[in-house]
Structures are given as structure tokens and as C-alpha cells.
Amino acid sequence: MTDQAVAPEVGRRRLRKEDARLITGQTNWTDNIQVAGLLHLAVLRSPMAHARITRVDVSPALERPGVIAAFSGADLAEGLGSLPCAWPVTEDIVLPEHPPIAVDEVRYAGDPVAVVVARDRYAAADALEAIEVDYDPLPPVLDLETALAPDAPLVHAGKGTNRCYTWPLSTGESFEAVRDRAEVILKRRYHQQRLIPNAMEPRAVVVTPLAASGEYTVYSATQIPHILRIMLAGVTGIPEHKLRVIAPDVGGGFGSKLQVYGEEALALTVARRLGRPVKWTESRSEGALATHHGRGMIQDVEIAATREGRLLGLKVDLLADMGAYLMLVTPGIPILGAFMYPAIYKMDAYEFHCTGVFTTRTPTDAYRGAGRPEATFAIERIMDELAGELGLDPVELRRRNWIRHEEFPYTTIAGLTYDSGDYEAATDKALALFGYDDLRAEQRERAKRGDPVRLGIGVSTYTEMCGLAPSRVLRDLRYSAGGWEAASIRMLPTGKVEVVTGTSPHGQGHETCWSQIAADVLGVPFEDVEVVHGDTRAAPQGMDTYGSRSLAVGGEAVHRAARTVVEKARKVAAHLLEASEQDLEFSGGVFSVKGSPEARKTIQEIAFETFTNHDLPDGVEPTINAEHVVDPENFSYPHGTHLCAVEVDTETGHTRIRSYVCVDDVGRAVNPMIVEGQVHGGLAQGIAQALYEEAVYDDDGNLVTGTLADYLVPSAADLPDFVTDRTETPAASNALGAKGVGEAGTIASTPAVVNAVVDALRPLGVHDVRMPCTPERVWRAVKEASA
Amino acid sequence: MTRISVNVDGTTYEDDVEPRLLLAHYLRDRLGLTGTPIGCDTSNCGTCTVDLDGVTVKSCSVLAVQADGCAVTTVQGLARDGEWTALQRAFHEQHGLQCGYCTPGMIMAARDLLRENPHPGPDEVRQALEGNLCRCTGYQNIVRAVLAASGQHDTSGHQVGEEVPA
Ligand code: FES
Ligand code: FES
């Protein structure tokens, strides 16, 4: 950029524009929408994990007061297509039909079997009880390993197998070759328990039909209004141009709203049949069953190294639980992770093999980090085990293997080119903030005096890939769409600015950050910028928000569009000021003629003059609006070092986080306050996986942690204060230098915490504790080790 | 149907309601006061927290008929003439919210704490907010906001806010 605004907004701790409506309760949650004649949809769900449906009779529900209609799966099947899977990762992947509502077989507890529509939500919920359904139970499929046995019961009988796909990657030398010359080989199995995302806002959808024109507006608590629109057109057969999707205020997503859900298609179908507006809002316990889950993997990991601790090779064998159906990107989640197991380390051989497995459980899909937290966990855990085996400090082992600052850009063994980073700088800063040496001394001292409360120190030096994604890479990975992002800037006649973004925020503060970016480039006040998003009419082009892509791709599009506005305005200014373009300076939103500063026009004045078009020469289009679609040339690679100290009571098994320090490098921070907030939130979710959360099923395949009373989402009382800091190596893949931050905390913290727990107990002979490290699991691990 | 009379955020409403109608749904669906969101069906998340005659309650666990003759304050009734309360300002200034879905409940619960204990320590704030879940912020900035609203230094050592009744 040649012309830079005077007082930069970018880099400033700007308080958020979004807050005003949220802290006063003037919000636009989907469930708030009330329109004349609104009907409430309720969904009857399978109480069994796996069964044949032999009879559904909805007629008794019609007798209930307030009920307008009721439909079985069969009633709705006509004209309703399969829910989409946009990521068929291999050519021979098994892609079962996924009806939005079950017709003849249910495949997980929570699978929809019938719906009712009533005048209010109580009447709708009541009427569900009247629907009669007969089930013929089938055996559930719950265990990932036995599901692959030849005689295993099948989730999709017609497919002949529970194996969804196998996906191998092998680079560098063969693992067998390095195994031969390795001095140390370790093999470990890690379990990535299933997690329930639990965004605080339940999912909701409202469909309002305009019968005369056959148009529908779909309000949805979604992260992906643009993708949803295309997909709903495909599922329902309603042409895309007759569908408008609006994501109003959305109360968190974490991947769980990166989805095309059956209920969205059902609400649309029912609204179409009845010609009336329809609303569905999930209850929390319904959401636990029917909103996709995250993680759910078994990782067999093998690492080969020399006695000095030089890594030679890594081998990963993965079983990934797809659940009962493939949702939007289900099969792709482990594949995203595949590239991240080698992390920041140099090695000679890497082998990865993933098997996707169908089970009769809620489908899995993206959850904060999506594949990358799982990969980071495995490598960072086994690095600690290797350090223990070699008698090396875990930080020292990492130092001996990581990519050094002067080696960037560096192409990893997995084939990714890391553009920038400085692992040493982040690590040294984190160690100093943490007081690493003092804590190690205290740890030794406690162990020496046999303190039943042990101190453990865990480290995790992570990297991730964000800025999803170069379209050609997505093509190579068989993802069905591109990875571009769009932005346009509308200069309004009065000088105010509308930034239209294709990203769709749900708590990340885009309105503030995008305003900062545009205000800087255009040289207009922050307050003069409004950000338009989440409405396929008002912001027609976009790929939406997930995978920490918004800033590095969408923010970059805003940046480029703003620069084009300046260049278009420069042409008009040159004409109005009767100067040549080269003689114009642009600073602080003002064009002035070099050498005669009194000859000036603000960009906001130019917006007005292009609007009136009273004094533009022929052939000059009267607009300075601009639009950009950015397709990133590379991913971005945030990284950092997280350190956690825990106190583990060996007598009760209780773990307390004593301190948590992280230094993250997210490239250039547009708004450091928001960066810090995102890190905090990510840490909470990552720590929750380490210590608290798990979706537990019983032997029949029923979810037994289906409410917030049984599923432990940590509260303020469960989490510590975090110390966060940053280093900054700008991303090379975008002009902003931004890398992305939404998932960093989650990715890094889970292994840091579990490493700390195991570190506390290693002197007692404990080498692993399965997540979540509940007091009972810790206590048992101690007992078993000493037995 | 039962006739109730409730004063919500300064306005009195007379309504016939079903005895089983939850206060949260009454506020949202009947009165259109959608500033009080619902996050769970087990009284665990706290997003629906309101003040009922000076007592802080989860409005999803109270029946509308129980509010008969009472005064209810929701987050929508806090600001006076467009002036935010100290807590609202502090949530804004300390970045105590991201998606904001938990925020009304957090503000109402924090208001209750500061009424009882105008100068809580960080641990007391954490304990007091135990019944309010947030999935976005990791709580740290929420705790900071409450300390700031109480006129205390926040945990990072910044002097923030001023002492104003919450
Ligand atoms: S909605 Fe009331 S506590 Fe969750
Ligand atoms: S800010 Fe999103 S739940 Fe608290």
C-alpha cells in the first residue's frame, strides 16, 4: 500500500461496535423472530440408536389443541433430497443417503422420525407425545474397531460395510526404513473423546414464505448463510434465486453451526406445504442429540528417534468416528488434521492412514479446530513421552527438532509451506513469563518430600493451518467448493461507508475489525463505517466463517476492496482538482495536489460528487464502489507456546490448574483486545476437553450426557486466569499479515494440560491418563501404577 | 388460564396465561422482551437470569403465574435514558462478551453479586457466576468486568471503571 492513513486503526484496541445491542438486550437472535401467523415446529426423535421403523401414525397428534399439521418421514419424503456431504475425500468413499427425516430406519438416538406444527411451542411439544411409532430394534454399532470386523452389524446395510473410507498419506522415507535405524521407538494410543459443542445459543430456524412469488426467507442460527442457501436449494428443489438466507445475531458456533441441518430443510418444506411461516428452536437436550458432535477418534501413534532426541519418523493410524451419516464436511475433518501431525518438527519419514467408520451415534463434524486439535494433541503428547524416555527436558527435545526461524519459508514433510514464524522467540518469551525454572525446582522439591499434591508442568508448541483455503488445494483434497472470500465497499452519497463481507460472524467481532481495516485504508472515521453481513441479499457472495479464515481471507478482501475504492476515487479527484493522478497525494482520507495542499478533496466529498455525477467526464462511470474476491495463495500458520502448571492431588485425583501462560503468534493483530478474547475462549474449550467434557453413550447407544446437568461445560469457577502474550511474525499470504486466532487456544491447550497432568504423575509410574482427566481417572491411574 | 399482573422493566402488563407457562417464555413470546435468551432446559446455563422482586432467578425455572404481582427487571430495563449501568459499561470496556448470548444473564447475576458484596475478590466473582455458562470468553474478561464495575482494579492491574451502584 502506498498511501497510509495517519492514525492507524489496525493494531488498536478498539472497543466493539457489536456490544451495544448485546449488553442492552436489543438482539436479533433467530428465536426472537415473531411474524403474523407463525407456526412452531417440533421434531419427534428416535429413542433408539438403531431400529427399523415399522409404523408411524401422526393422526392422534392432529386431535391435540393448537395443532395445525403433523407429518411422518414418509409424508415429507417426496421432493426432499439427501442432506449434502461436500467433502467426499476419496473416489470410492461410501456416501449413504441422508434423509432430513428418517423414513424406514433410524440410525442414532435423536434421528428425526416425525414433526408437528402448532400454534405455539407448548402445543407442538405436547402433540409429539401423541404420535405413535413402532420400532423393530437393530443392533447398535458403537465400537470403532469391532465395527470393522467382517461380521459386524451394519449402520447402512445396503452399503455392505461400516468403513466409510481409507485415506493414506506417505511422504519422505518409508517409516520402515527409519524404524530400522532408530534408537528409540515409542508407540502410543490416544483417545479423542466425543465432544458436544454446546454453543450457548441453541440452533433455530424461521422460514417465512412469500406465496405469490414462491420466495422464501430462511433465518437461521448458522455460520454459513451462503453455503446453506445453495445447499437448501439442492435439498428442497426450490431454486436458489427464490431463497434468501439470513443469519441474524448468532450466539456462538464453534463449527456446530457450519452445517446444513435436517431441521432447516424440514422447516422450509413444511412452510412451503402450508404456505405459513414456521419456526423451530432446539432445546438444549435436543441439541445434544441432533447437533453434530466433535472429535471422536482413536489415534495409534508411533515415533522414531535417535538417543540424542532427533526425530526420524512419525506414523499415525487413525480411526475416525463419522457417526451415523456424513454431514457437510464430516469425512474431511481427519484429513485437515493429517497435514498437522508433523507440526513444527523436522523428520525424515511420515506415514498417515485414516479410516472413517460409521457408528450408530450422532454424526460428527467440525468442532473448534476441526482435525487440528486432535493432530496437535497426538504429536505434543508423544513428544513428551519421548522426552521422558530419553531423560530430556520436554522443551529441550522440541528445540532440537523444530524448524528454525532462519529456515522459513519451510516446506514440511506433510507438504505444507510454512511462510513465517519464530518458535524460539515465542517459547523463550513463554518460559520467562511462566517462571519455568522455578516451577521445575518446586516440582522436584515436592516430589522429594513425597507431597501427595504433585506439581506437573505441561508444554505444547503448536502450529495450525488457517485461512482456509487456496481453492486449488481444496480441489486436490476433493472438497466440493472453493476457498475464496468476497468483500465490497459501498461509498454512500453522504460519505458513510458500507463494508459488505461474505464472512458471517457469530461472536468474533467482525463488525469492529472490518471497520478498522476499511477506516484505515479509506482514511475515514471508524464510526462512519458499517459492516453488512450474514444476509444473502445484502451480502450476496461469500464462503462464510469457519476455520479461522475470516480475517486472513475475508479481511484481506475488505482491505483490497478499500484500496480499489481509493484508486477509483483518485481518478475522480484528479479530474475535479484538475491535476494528474501522479500529482495527487492521499493521506488521512484526503486527496491533495503535491505542492499546493489547499487544493484538496476528501474521499467522502468524492463519494458525493460521483453520486451527483454533475462534473464527471464522459466515459467515467459514476461510482467509486469496489468489490474484491480473494483466493488465498497459501494457508496461514499461527503458532505459539503454551505452558500449564497443575497441582494433582494423588489421593483424590483432583487436578487444579495453578497457572497457564501462552504466547501466540497470530501474525498482525488487527485488534489485540479481540485477539486476547479469542485466545481466552479457545483455552476454555481446550481445557474443557482435557479435564471435563465427554459425550458418553451407554451400551445401547443412548447418549447419557444429554443435558448441561450431565455434560460438564466448565464455569467461571472451574477455570483460572490466563496470562497471554504475543509475538508477531506477519503472514506472507495476505497484505494484512494476519494469520487467524479463533482455534489457537483450543488446539494448544488440550495437550498442554494433559502433558502437565501426566508430568505430575510420571514419577509415580503413570504414562497416560485418558481424557477427560477426571478425578476418578487420575485416581485410578495412580492406583494402577502403584499396584 | 390465569390472570396475572406483572410489572416488567417499569411497565405493568395484565395477561391471561396458562399455568405452566415459563416466565422466560412469557417475557419473550408474549411481551416481546427478547433480551432474555434461553440457553438450556435444565436451569444450568443462566442465560435467562432476571431480577424478580429483588431476587435473582433463572426465568426458565419460574412460572409466569409466580410472577403475579411482582416486579421483574431484565437486562432491557437496566439502562436509564440511554445511560448504561456501570456493569454494562464494564462488560463493554473489558471485552466481557463475544457472541453475547450469555451476556444478559451474566450482567444480571453480576448485578446480584455486587448488591450483596460491593467489593468481591476475583474468586468470589468466579464462585458467584458459577451458574452462568459462557462458551466464548473463557470468563476472564467477565471477571475483569465485574471487578471493574465494582470500582476495583482488574486482574491485569489496569485501573478501570468507577464506583457506581450496579
Ligand atoms: S435457560 Fe434458564 S438456566 Fe438455561
Ligand atoms: S459471549 Fe458467547 S456465550 Fe458468552
Side-chain angles (χ1 to χ4, degrees):
Chain A
M1 211 175 101
T2 46
D3 296 316
Q4 184 58 272
V6 193
E9 281 287 340
V10 169
R12 181 169 170 194
R13 185 185 185 273
R14 256 286 178 201
L15 297 185
R16 298 197 324 167
K17 291 188 164 179
E18 290 86 344
D19 291 356
R21 63 180 187 271
L22 299 169
I23 59 179
T24 56
Q26 311 294 312
T27 41
N28 281 314
W29 311 119
T30 299
D31 185 65
N32 291 2
I33 292 167
Q34 304 270 20
V35 290
L38 184 68
L39 300 177
H40 293 260
L41 181 99
V43 180
L44 184 69
R45 299 180 183 280
S46 166
M48 284 180 213
H50 197 191
R52 203 161 294 124
I53 301 170
T54 53
R55 186 179 74 103
V56 183
D57 185 1
V58 296
S59 55
L62 298 170
E63 320 276 294
R64 297 294 181 102
V67 171
I68 304 296
F71 303 97
S72 68
D75 295 336
L76 293 175
E78 202 194 316
L80 204 49
S82 180
L83 293 176
C85 171
W87 204 339
V89 291
T90 60
E91 214 150 309
D92 59 352
I93 188 172
V94 173
L95 275 175
E97 285 290 299
H98 184 186
I101 180 166
V103 178
D104 41 34
E105 195 169 321
V106 288
R107 294 190 170 87
Y108 63 96
D111 214 350
V113 291
V115 299
V116 294
V117 197
R119 270 200 285 273
D120 73 62
R121 51 179 113 218
Y122 286 60
D126 276 356
L128 289 183
E129 287 167 20
I131 297 174
E132 291 166 17
V133 186
D134 293 339
Y135 297 98
D136 192 357
L138 293 166
V141 180
L142 301 169
D143 179 75
L144 293 181
E145 288 176 295
T146 58
L148 297 174
D151 57 346
L154 295 174
V155 181
H156 297 278
K159 299 295 181 186
T161 175
N162 290 320
R163 186 187 307 267
C164 173
Y165 66 90
T166 57
W167 193 95
L169 175 71
S170 176
T171 64
E173 292 180 56
S174 81
F175 190 80
E176 288 314 307
V178 298
R179 199 207 299 263
D180 285 346
R181 65 171 196 273
E183 292 162 325
V184 185
I185 291 173
L186 286 185
K187 203 168 171 176
R188 291 286 184 273
R189 166 167 280 206
Y190 297 120
H191 291 263
Q192 295 287 332
Q193 78 270 33
R194 267 180 179 253
L195 299 177
I196 302 178
N198 277 314
M200 289 317 301
E201 181 205 22
R203 283 195 290 125
V205 57
V206 175
V207 179
T208 58
L210 264 179
S213 57
E215 289 174 76
Y216 299 85
T217 301
V218 179
Y219 300 85
S220 181
T222 184
Q223 296 174 224
I224 53 163
H226 298 93
I227 296 173
L228 183 61
R229 180 193 194 205
I230 301 167
M231 295 297 180
L232 282 178
V235 175
T236 63
I238 298 169
E240 192 177 348
H241 66 303
K242 299 286 189 187
L243 286 175
R244 173 183 186 182
V245 177
I246 298 177
D249 285 333
V250 175
F254 319 112
S256 70
K257 292 172 182 169
L258 188 200
Q259 197 52 268
V260 179
Y261 280 107
E263 294 85 359
E264 290 165 320
L266 292 173
L268 180 53
T269 301
V270 170
R272 183 190 203 182
R273 294 238 180 141
L274 303 178
R276 303 246 327 240
V278 168
K279 175 194 283 187
W280 172 78
T281 301
E282 77 178 0
S283 69
R284 177 67 45 185
S285 8
E286 195 180 15
L289 293 170
T291 293
H292 75 236
H293 292 177
R295 316 283 190 259
M297 294 181 191
I298 299 174
Q299 303 164 306
D300 285 309
V301 191
E302 201 174 347
I303 198 165
T306 68
R307 272 271 144 221
E308 287 74 53
R310 190 173 93 71
L311 295 190
L312 298 174
L314 180 70
K315 186 167 184 238
V316 179
D317 215 325
L318 191 66
L319 290 178
D321 184 354
M322 306 282 101
Y325 295 101
L326 301 183
M327 300 201 65
L328 193 63
V329 293
T330 305
I333 303 303
I335 309 310
L336 273 179
F339 297 93
M340 296 318 293
Y341 284 89
I344 62 171
Y345 308 118
K346 297 186 276 190
M347 60 187 74
D348 304 329
Y350 174 48
E351 277 179 28
F352 172 89
H353 190 272
C354 172
T355 305
V357 184
F358 290 111
T359 60
T360 52
R361 284 189 284 219
T362 301
T364 59
D365 205 311
Y367 172 59
R368 205 161 190 169
R372 293 155 292 171
E374 298 92 318
T376 304
F377 181 85
I379 184 69
E380 290 302 291
R381 278 289 297 120
I382 205 163
M383 284 296 277
D384 262 36
E385 294 309 302
L386 182 63
E389 181 72 22
L390 297 173
L392 276 177
D393 180 283
V395 177
E396 176 56 26
L397 176 66
R398 286 166 172 81
R399 263 186 219 286
R400 290 186 187 180
N401 288 288
W402 67 39
I403 301 152
R404 291 191 312 277
H405 182 49
E406 59 276 15
E407 292 175 289
F408 287 94
Y410 183 91
T411 301
T412 72
I413 190 147
L416 300 173
T417 301
Y418 294 174
D419 57 342
S420 73
D422 190 341
Y423 307 137
E424 180 109 28
T427 305
D428 288 344
K429 197 169 190 180
L431 290 172
L433 281 171
F434 189 61
Y436 188 74
D437 295 337
D438 290 348
L439 283 164
R440 282 283 181 215
E442 182 187 331
Q443 180 183 38
R444 282 190 296 272
E445 192 271 323
R446 279 206 203 205
K448 206 162 96 197
R449 75 177 138 90
D451 191 336
V453 180
R454 296 298 179 109
L455 190 68
I457 295 167
V459 59
S460 149
T461 49
Y462 77 101
T463 187
E464 59 163 325
M465 56 176 188
C466 322
L468 302 173
S471 295
R472 63 188 154 74
V473 175
L474 294 177
R475 173 202 63 201
D476 292 347
L477 294 174
R478 299 179 54 85
Y479 181 60
S480 309
W484 50 264
E485 194 47 79
S488 52
I489 293 194
R490 300 197 283 246
M491 296 295 297
L492 306 181
T494 56
K496 305 296 181 198
V497 181
E498 281 179 341
V499 171
V500 182
T501 175
T503 65
S504 192
H506 33 284
Q508 297 91 339
H510 291 184
E511 290 169 31
T512 301
C513 294
W514 281 211
S515 296
Q516 288 178 275
I517 293 168
D520 255 8
V521 179
L522 299 172
V524 301
F526 172 81
E527 295 74 19
D528 284 355
V529 185
E530 199 64 40
V531 176
V532 177
H533 61 74
D535 178 342
T536 60
R537 278 267 155 90
Q541 259 195 304
M543 281 291 185
D544 308 316
T545 289
Y546 42 86
S548 291
R549 71 189 300 277
S550 289
L551 185 57
V553 192
E556 175 71 359
V558 171
H559 191 249
R560 289 202 205 172
R563 289 196 300 182
T564 305
V565 169
V566 172
E567 290 321 305
K568 288 174 114 175
R570 184 189 300 274
K571 287 197 192 332
V572 179
H575 169 73
L576 296 173
L577 294 169
E578 296 175 353
S580 78
E581 284 179 48
Q582 295 85 316
D583 287 342
L584 289 184
E585 283 174 332
F586 181 66
S587 177
V590 178
F591 289 97
S592 55
V593 180
K594 281 181 201 152
S596 44
E598 66 292 346
R600 65 203 299 277
K601 285 276 178 196
T602 69
I603 195 165
Q604 292 173 302
E605 288 168 340
I606 290 168
F608 184 75
E609 303 214 27
T610 43
F611 161 72
T612 61
N613 194 21
H614 288 171
D615 187 25
L616 292 188
D618 286 349
V620 173
E621 198 188 0
T623 174
I624 56 171
N625 294 345
E627 178 175 333
H628 256 284
V629 178
V630 170
D631 204 321
E633 54 194 58
N634 191 0
F635 296 93
S636 58
Y637 299 95
H639 71 82
T641 297
H642 287 224
L643 290 159
C644 177
V646 296
E647 287 176 357
V648 184
D649 188 329
T650 55
E651 287 168 355
T652 64
H654 184 261
T655 299
R656 182 181 84 90
I657 295 183
R658 157 113 157 243
S659 63
Y660 197 102
V661 168
C662 60
V663 173
D664 294 291
D665 188 328
V666 298
R668 187 133 174 250
V670 170
N671 186 325
M673 177 189 80
I674 289 177
V675 166
E676 188 182 76
Q678 291 260 299
V679 170
H680 289 171
L683 293 177
Q685 289 187 19
I687 291 170
Q689 177 173 13
L691 297 181
Y692 302 116
E693 297 185 17
E694 179 169 27
V696 180
Y697 285 79
D698 67 15
D699 292 343
D700 298 324
N702 294 308
L703 180 64
V704 296
T705 52
T707 71
L708 289 175
D710 327 290
Y711 183 93
L712 213 170
V713 169
S715 77
D718 300 309
L719 293 171
D721 259 353
F722 310 114
V723 176
T724 62
D725 208 334
R726 287 185 294 118
T727 54
E728 193 169 304
T729 58
S733 52
N734 61 77
L736 281 170
K739 292 181 178 176
V741 65
E743 296 148 318
T746 304
I747 291 173
S749 60
T750 312
V753 173
V754 178
N755 279 345
V757 171
V758 176
D759 184 61
L761 303 176
R762 192 173 279 116
L764 304 174
V766 173
H767 292 285
D768 199 18
V769 179
R770 193 162 154 176
M771 293 188 291
C773 303
T774 57
E776 191 194 336
R777 286 211 175 120
V778 170
W779 183 83
R780 279 186 196 285
V782 172
K783 283 282 162 269
E784 278 160 27
S786 58
Chain B
M1 290 288 175
T2 310
R3 186 105 189 136
I4 59 169
S5 167
V6 192
N7 184 293
V8 185
D9 296 334
T11 304
T12 300
Y13 302 86
E14 304 265 343
D15 274 299
D16 290 321
V17 298
E18 274 192 79
R20 62 174 178 168
L21 182 69
L22 298 175
L23 178 58
H25 284 133
Y26 174 68
L27 295 172
R28 292 179 54 76
D29 293 349
R30 190 69 77 83
L31 304 187
L33 293 171
T34 49
T36 302
I38 295 174
C40 74
D41 38 34
T42 45
S43 301
N44 285 88
C45 77
T47 60
C48 65
T49 305
V50 301
D51 181 306
L52 181 69
D53 269 355
V55 180
T56 301
V57 298
K58 293 179 172 175
S59 62
C60 72
S61 58
V62 174
L63 297 169
V65 290
Q66 292 175 287
D68 183 29
C70 297
V72 174
T73 305
T74 78
V75 77
Q76 286 169 273
L78 295 186
R80 291 264 165 260
D81 306 320
E83 268 295 298
W84 296 351
T85 63
L87 262 170
Q88 287 172 308
R89 282 207 308 278
F91 268 74
H92 178 53
E93 286 162 8
Q94 301 300 314
H95 189 31
L97 64 153
Q98 289 181 28
C99 78
Y101 200 77
C102 69
T103 310
M106 286 287 179
I107 289 175
M108 297 310 287
R111 180 175 172 266
D112 188 40
L113 165 69
L114 295 186
R115 246 180 345 209
E116 300 277 308
N117 179 0
H119 297 286
D123 288 342
E124 288 173 302
V125 175
R126 287 186 179 273
Q127 291 302 332
L129 297 180
E130 202 178 11
N132 289 71
L133 298 177
C134 173
R135 203 51 163 162
C136 303
T137 64
Y139 302 107
Q140 184 156 338
N141 289 347
I142 292 176
V143 175
R144 272 189 197 172
V146 178
L147 295 175
S150 73
Q152 305 182 77
H153 291 258
D154 77 7
T155 46
S156 67
H158 298 143
Q159 171 65 56
V160 280
E162 70 217 73
E163 189 157 9
V164 187

